[in-house]
Each structure stands twice: as C-alpha cells, then as structure tokens.
Amino acid sequence: MNELPQQLANGLALGALYGLIAIGYTMVYGIVQLINFAHGEIFMIGGFGALTTYTALPSGTSLLVAIPLMIVGGAIASVAVATAAERFAYRPLRSAPRLAPLITAIGLSIALQQLVWQFYPDAKKAVSFPEFKGEAFHLLDNLAIQRADAFVLVLAPLCMLALGVFVSKSRSGRAMQATAQDPDTAKLMGINTDRIIVMAFAIGAAFAAVAAVAYGLDKGQINFEMGFILGLKAFTAAVLGGIGNIYGAMVGGVVLGIAESLSIAYIEDIPGMQQLGGGAWSNVWAFVLLIVVLLVRPQGLLGERVADRA
Amino acid sequence: MRHRSLLILTSVLTTGALTLTACGSRDEGKGGGGDNAGGTTTVVIGVDAPLTGSLSALGQGIKNSVDLAAKTANKNKEVPGITFKVEALDDQAVPASGQANATKLVGNKDVVGVVGPLNSGVSQQMQGVFAAAGLAQVSPANTNPSLSQGDNWGKGEFKRPFKTYFRTAATDVVQGKFAAQYLFKDAGKKKVFVVDDKQTYGAGLAAIFSDEFKRLGGQVVGTDHVTVKETDFSSTADKVKASGADSVYFGGQYPEGGLLSDQIKKTGAKVPVMGGDGIYDPAFISASGEANDGDLATSIGYPVEKLDTAKKFIADYNAGGYKDPYAAYGGYSYDAGWAIIQAVKAAVAANNGKLPTDARAKVTEALGKVSFDGVTGKVSFDEYGDTTNKQLTVYKVEGGKWVDVKSDTFNQ
C-alpha cells in the first residue's frame, strides 16, 4: 500500500496546527519585536477555556453546537490572559533591554502552567476533552482524513484568509502595519499604538484558542504541559516561514509538519539511513531543516516583513 | 526614580525571604533532635516519586501508600519507642531532580530508608548517592534489570552494583518474557510491531519482549520510537497499518501509550496494543478514547483487589481520606514502606530497644533478611535485592476498564 498520501495528510494537519499557533508568535514579534515564549501557555489556556465551556453546556449538546461555543469560550480565556500578560508583564518593560521581556516571558510561561496545574480540577494529569467521533472521511483508497484533522484543515485557511483581509483592508489592520513599520511615526500620525499592540496579542491568542480546540478534538485530551513542545514547534514554524510575516507562519508550519511526517515514514527506507529514521529522529530532521533554511535564507522562507525597518 | 523603587522592593523581598528561611531552619533545629517529650524517637522514611506532571497519578499513589504504612505502624506501635514520619519529594520523573532529592534525603540524618522512585531512569541517578551514604532504597516500581543485576545481566553476568538497592517490583525480564509468551501462545498473535519511548524502562522492556517473541517463533514486522511528551503519533500509526502487523507491543508509559493506541485505531487497523505496567493505568484508557477494547498490559503481582491480603490495605486506604487513588503501585509501595519498618524493628530489637547509632547501615543489613506477608504476597529479597515474588498478571481493556485475564507465577 502506498502510504504517501496519508503521510502527507498527517503532515498537513499537524502543520496547520503549528501554523495557527505560530500566528501569535509572528504577529507579536512583527509589532513589538518580542518573542512571547508564554504563547504556548496561551494556547494551553485556550484549551482549558474551551473545556470549561463544554462542561458548562447541558449534557448531550451536539458537538456541532458545542464547537463554536467552545471556540468562543477558549478564545475569551486565552485573549483575557494574553492581554493581561501584555498589560502587566510586557508593557512595563517595553523600553527595557530586549533580554528583560524575554526572561519575563519564560517566567510567565512557567507560572501559567503551574496555575492551571494547581487550580484546574484534575489538571494534574491529562484531562479528557470531547472527541470527534465517527468514521474518517475516506477520500481515496489509501487516504483517510480524520474528522478532527478535517476540522483544522478547513479552519486554518479560513482563519488565515480572514486575518489577511483584516490586515490589508481594515483601518485597524493598516494601523497595525504602520505600527510594525515604525511605531514612533505611527504614533505621530495619531495611531494609538498601545491599542494596536494589545490587538496583536489578542488576535494571536484567539488563533491559539482555535488551535487548542482542534488539538483537543483530535487527541481527546488536553494537558497543562501541552503548550511547551507545541509552542516550541510553532515558534520554529514562525522562524522557518520568516518571523513577522503572517503568511510565513502558515507556510513554515506546513513545511515543518510535512517534514516531520515524511521523516518518520521514509528516511529509514533510504539505503544506509536505517538508523536515522522513525519517530526517534523526527525532531532532529525538523531542526536540521530549520538550520538549513536559516543558513541558505536567513530571513525565512517568505522573508521577514519587518526587516526593512533597520 | 522607578529604578530606585524597584531596587528597594527587591531588597525588601530578599530580606523577607531570608528572614523566613532563617525561621524555618530554627524550627527544624528544635524538632530535629528526634527525642520528644513522649520519649519516642522519630525516624523518617523518605519517598521520591513524580508528584507532579503527567505521571503524578502513580506518584501520589506511592506517596499515600507509604504514608499509610507509617501511620499504621505508629498506630499499632509496631516498633516500640519509634515514631515514623514520611518525607515525600517530587522528582517529576526527571533523573536530575531525583538525584538532587537523593542528596537532600541523605543530608537529613533522620532518614533511615527511602521508598522510590517510580522510574528506572531516575533510579539510575539516585542509586550511587544512596550507596555512598549507606542509605537503603526500596523501589516499588523500578523494573529495569540492570539496576539490581548490573549492566551485563543480558550476557548472563549477574553482579549486584549497589548493596543499598532493593525493590518490591519484579523486573522487566520477567515481565517482557511473560508478555511475549501470552501474546504468542494465549492470544495467538504472530506478527508484532514494536514501539518504544527511548527511555531506560521502555526501550529495555521492548528489547526483552522482542527477543522472547522471536525465540518463540513470532515475527517482528517493524519497529519505531516515540518521543516522551510528544502527542502526534499518526505517522507511526500509519506505519503500523502499512506493515500488516496483527498486534503492537509498546514499551513506555501511559501518556504516550494511550495516544498511540488511539491513533493506531483511528487509522482503521484493528490490532491490540500490549504494554507493560507503565501503561496499566486507568489514564491509559481515558487517553485512548473508547475504541481500545482488547488492549493488553502486564503488571507485577496478582490483582490487588483480588488478594485477601490486600483487603485490609484497601479498606484502610479508603478510610485514610487520600485524595488520589493508590494506583498501580500502591500495594508495592505499602510493602516497600513496611519492609523498611520491619528492618527498623529488627535493628532496634538487636540494639536493646533503641535506635542504633549507625541506624542506616543496620537497616540496610536487616532489609536483606526481612520476610513477611505483605499486601502483594510474600515480601522478601534475593541476593540482588530483587523481590522473590515473581507473580504476574495480564490485564485487558474491556468496556473501558482493566480486567485481569491471566495470573501466573513466572518460571523461565
């Protein structure tokens, strides 16, 4: 059986998830040049917000009704935490040397993890999340798309499209571009840059919440630690695509996801490479790819949007 | 201005923290002497286990069960003149944390024995620290053979590396072979796909299983590895499906095992996943959704719920008001704690009813000779510090619960 279409689909779904989370890294970096290392935890909190919403619904609610509400509930939780983090952890340090907010971000990430661990009932281990039941969609003989994967594969492009239209067409979107290009001049032009920065955090957080719902529906469980590795991978995706570039985040995510899937499936079939394949090596190959891209094209695949500022 | 106020705030906080620490140590100084008004000596049983993180379900069960053993001993005045206290440290299943905890326990002179840790990989880093201090360690859950029989056990050279190391859990040699025999003979599976998590426990177990399965005449049609804390194994799952395997053996723990089983079932491959005691936990079932009926796990001992000897333990545990269940290793942890208590009893009895000054050495010596009927059956240790209890059980997932399907005493 040819498993290539299936492995590509796996990679694509994983990549779309990385891409959705990577938006948060890339937008915040694009505007304030801060690598928000707590973004993985914003993603995790989106998942717990969605789960809380689900448990508050009357039992027996159809998932079709529940999912939009869960996305809203998750987004409210993650946006609230992200904007609070911006206001109380990052804004006071905005004029400090770059290292200070970076350290704050790492500290915040640990604090948020421990808070959920401590206060969310049963969060000390994985907690179960409503799972997408039912048969996968059999598109071809050798290609089945799981329902949860289909969900993320449909939603991610829609989110990207909406974001693209928002950034290029709306007033706030243009103000955002102006702030990214030169915050001081933007301020002189009457743009409330503080509001724009909060907006960047909020949009990233909302996308992370969508990703968290997709993740929960797929795995059937969420975990207070889940933000760490996924956050790291999404950050990698953002760098791979060109940090600061919102389309780059999605491209970087997809490239990373497919690279991981294919390395697990095929590298050990290459003669002489048996020892370097399989799941054990997927992270190695993902990061080798990152290094190669950065060596050949330091600005990332689609280029760094903010590079022209310096 | 702002910087100065920040400086002042930091200084105040630091001073406050230092003052608090000082208070703490003074209190400790008062109580640390051991003797109190009642004329009893307090000895501490250390516990090291993952109390937080994804394996905390098991770790909390270990901690609580040892706590129950200490409380029972105090209540029954098991050792006259001795009051037992438990000090539990969290290793988060990280070897370096385990080593730091071992150092901390060694530093507390009231500690006469330690129960733990859960993970074989963590134990590797702790054994040396305990051995140097002569402090006995009894693990309720370590199953890697090299911990007690030396690195070359696979070649038939058995050499006990640390005389302070004991365990109430049977080793992976027993468990892996038992699993292979069950899967090949009882379940009639001939083509297995083997996955492990690259850890000391998981990889070791998978290797022992594979060797035995091949020796019996079965075929290993593919192998792969997963990374701990990753959650997407769909590519590995598709490899399993493409290989045409009729069963999967997973060496690792339940967080990864549950997701792997789930993702294999989602590909449409209706094959059972089997694993060791690392996946024998309710969390394995909840992690893998509803479709994992038929998945198998081996675990050491007979099912605790079915043993007459465990009835009292279960009743006491439930009456103890512990927040978490005793989980897979509760019975072994209670027995490990009780073994230390019995060793203290022997050491005290040999020293005219007083705790000997070289308590750690005497307790270690006495541990090698303990023999009593514990929660999990007869508790005693062989010349390597391994349990002499080689009973095993195969469990199967049925209707969202682990049900025991075969219990036996293992003999080569």
Side-chain angles (χ1 to χ4, degrees):
Chain A
M1 188 185 87
N2 182 5
E3 44 168 324
L4 181 64
Q6 185 64 57
Q7 295 292 9
L8 283 174
N10 291 341
L12 201 60
L14 186 63
L17 193 76
Y18 290 159
L20 277 176
I21 309 171
I23 297 287
Y25 285 100
T26 226
M27 286 191 72
V28 167
Y29 183 85
I31 290 177
V32 282
Q33 269 46 162
L34 160 73
I35 295 169
N36 179 11
F37 267 118
H39 188 64
E41 274 59 48
I42 303 286
F43 158 79
M44 179 266 293
I45 282 172
F48 279 91
L51 183 62
T52 311
T53 315
Y54 182 77
T55 34
L57 292 172
S59 62
T61 311
S62 146
L63 267 188
L64 285 178
V65 182
I67 288 171
L69 293 173
M70 282 159 70
I71 291 178
V72 172
I76 290 174
S78 59
V79 168
V81 173
T83 48
E86 194 280 327
R87 179 65 191 83
F88 298 109
Y90 299 139
R91 195 181 296 179
L93 294 171
R94 204 174 287 157
S95 54
R98 290 256 192 108
L99 198 54
L102 186 72
I103 294 168
T104 309
I106 293 170
L108 190 65
S109 135
I110 297 169
L112 289 175
Q113 250 187 48
Q114 295 300 312
L115 269 176
V116 170
W117 177 79
Q118 188 74 22
F119 292 112
Y120 198 90
D122 288 332
K124 290 183 171 60
K125 49 185 185 247
V127 285
S128 44
F129 199 87
E131 198 166 358
F132 247 141
K133 296 275 158 49
E135 276 295 293
F137 302 111
H138 288 273
L139 298 188
L140 293 169
D141 211 21
N142 49 7
L143 176 61
I145 307 280
Q146 304 300 332
R147 278 162 189 262
D149 288 349
F151 174 74
V152 67
L153 286 175
V154 170
L155 217 55
L158 283 181
C159 287
M160 281 308 297
L161 199 67
L163 184 63
V165 170
F166 172 79
V167 170
S168 57
K169 295 283 188 297
S170 76
R171 258 181 94 81
S172 307
R174 287 202 303 269
M176 201 171 257
Q177 290 186 45
T179 311
Q181 200 148 48
D182 189 337
D184 295 330
T185 315
K187 218 178 224 166
L188 291 174
M189 296 296 138
I191 292 171
N192 182 348
T193 49
D194 276 344
R195 202 176 64 92
I196 295 299
I197 292 167
V198 170
M199 201 186 284
F201 272 89
I203 293 174
F207 275 60
V210 173
V213 172
Y215 174 92
L217 291 171
D218 184 27
K219 308 287 182 270
Q221 58 167 296
I222 55 175
N223 184 325
F224 76 101
E225 293 174 310
M226 72 183 187
F228 180 71
I229 285 193
L230 270 173
L232 209 60
K233 290 276 179 67
F235 170 65
T236 309
V239 175
L240 198 60
I243 193 157
N245 184 326
I246 51 174
Y247 299 104
M250 204 36 96
V251 170
V254 166
V255 169
L256 189 68
I258 289 181
E260 270 187 45
S261 268
L262 294 188
S263 75
I264 292 176
Y266 292 112
I267 283 191
E268 59 191 6
D269 296 342
I270 301 172
M273 301 277 274
Q274 287 94 336
Q275 294 307 311
L276 306 176
W281 285 78
S282 66
N283 285 347
V284 176
W285 292 118
F287 286 96
V288 164
L289 175 75
L290 175 72
I291 292 167
V292 170
V293 168
L294 290 183
L295 282 177
V296 179
R297 212 181 136 74
Q299 69 272 44
L301 290 171
L302 293 198
E304 193 179 346
R305 260 282 180 71
V306 293
D308 56 318
R309 181 206 286 188
Chain B
M1 246 354 251
R2 233 173 101 191
H3 284 283
R4 192 179 299 161
S5 61
L6 193 68
L7 193 69
I8 293 171
L9 185 69
T10 319
S11 329
V12 170
L13 279 177
T14 318
T15 323
L18 284 174
T19 320
L20 281 176
T21 328
C23 285
S25 56
R26 204 153 48 226
D27 281 355
E28 214 172 292
K30 238 182 259 169
D35 295 296
N36 64 24
T40 70
T41 308
T42 301
V43 304
V44 176
I45 299 175
V47 173
D48 176 89
L51 303 177
T52 64
S54 50
L55 296 174
S56 59
L58 298 173
Q60 293 286 348
I62 293 175
K63 181 187 106 180
N64 294 340
S65 303
V66 178
D67 184 67
L68 181 65
K71 278 187 183 147
T72 309
N74 291 341
K75 202 175 81 195
N76 300 351
K77 302 217 175 340
E78 182 70 24
V79 188
I82 301 282
T83 306
F84 291 96
K85 219 182 105 193
V86 170
E87 182 181 351
L89 300 178
D90 179 13
D91 64 27
Q92 298 181 310
V94 175
S97 309
Q99 194 173 32
N101 290 348
T103 312
K104 201 168 161 198
L105 289 166
V106 163
N108 179 349
K109 64 181 170 43
D110 294 338
V111 176
V112 294
V114 177
V115 177
L118 172 71
N119 307 73
S120 293
V122 177
S123 211
Q124 275 180 333
Q125 300 293 315
M126 302 177 72
Q127 285 180 313
V129 180
F130 288 134
L135 181 59
Q137 166 196 12
V138 187
S139 172
N142 291 164
T143 49
N144 191 288
S146 62
L147 293 172
S148 57
Q149 299 170 359
D151 289 332
N152 295 325
W153 63 270
K155 297 175 197 149
E157 296 166 28
F158 303 113
K159 187 174 164 287
R160 186 179 186 184
F162 301 103
K163 69 174 175 47
T164 47
Y165 182 81
F166 300 87
R167 58 177 141 197
T168 51
T171 68
D172 292 335
V173 177
V174 179
Q175 215 186 143
K177 285 186 179 172
F178 194 71
Q181 288 171 3
Y182 180 86
L183 199 62
F184 188 82
K185 290 181 190 157
D186 299 60
K189 303 292 182 189
K190 311 293 175 208
K191 289 160 82 178
V192 70
F193 194 101
V194 179
V195 183
D196 72 59
D197 67 355
K198 301 181 274 184
Q199 307 288 303
T200 309
Y201 164 75
L205 187 57
I208 295 159
F209 170 87
S210 301
D211 288 347
E212 180 73 3
F213 198 78
K214 281 186 262 186
R215 191 186 69 81
L216 291 169
Q219 197 188 345
V220 176
V221 292
T223 57
D224 202 350
H225 312 274
V226 297
T227 304
V228 172
K229 290 201 176 167
E230 291 266 359
T231 49
D232 192 285
F233 308 131
S234 48
S235 293
T236 301
D238 283 316
K239 273 169 76 180
V240 171
K241 191 185 179 200
S243 73
D246 61 9
S247 52
V248 175
Y249 190 80
F250 174 69
Q253 307 279 353
Y254 61 79
E256 289 77 30
L259 287 170
L260 179 72
S261 168
D262 187 33
Q263 291 170 20
I264 288 174
K265 296 330 183 251
K266 275 187 182 162
T267 66
K270 301 277 176 254
V271 298
V273 173
M274 187 176 203
D277 54 339
I279 69 163
Y280 174 57
D281 191 278
F284 171 84
I285 299 170
S286 58
S288 49
E290 279 174 1
N292 57 344
D293 267 19
D295 282 355
L296 299 157
T298 50
S299 191
I300 39 183
Y302 286 0
V304 167
E305 289 75 12
K306 295 209 169 162
L307 284 173
D308 283 339
T309 47
K311 288 218 172 81
K312 192 178 163 325
F313 164 73
I314 294 170
D316 287 350
Y317 193 95
N318 292 336
Y322 296 110
K323 223 172 85 207
D324 300 273
Y326 52 83
Y329 303 104
Y332 297 94
S333 308
Y334 186 94
D335 285 348
W338 201 253
I340 292 175
I341 290 165
Q342 289 303 314
V344 170
K345 189 178 183 177
V348 166
N351 191 40
N352 303 323
K354 278 217 183 104
L355 192 70
T357 44
D358 55 342
R360 285 180 177 176
K362 288 285 179 344
V363 167
T364 306
E365 202 186 311
L367 254 180
K369 296 173 201 145
V370 294
S371 175
F372 61 93
D373 289 314
V375 172
T376 57
K378 189 104 186 142
V379 177
S380 62
F381 303 103
D382 66 13
E383 69 266 42
Y384 304 106
D386 282 332
T387 175
T388 50
N389 186 342
K390 302 253 193 282
Q391 296 161 335
L392 288 145
T393 301
V394 176
Y395 296 84
K396 189 184 216 160
V397 180
E398 269 178 34
K401 278 216 300 264
W402 286 112
V403 180
D404 58 297
V405 290
K406 185 186 181 185
S407 293
D408 208 352
T409 299
F410 179 81
N411 35 32
Q412 289 307 309

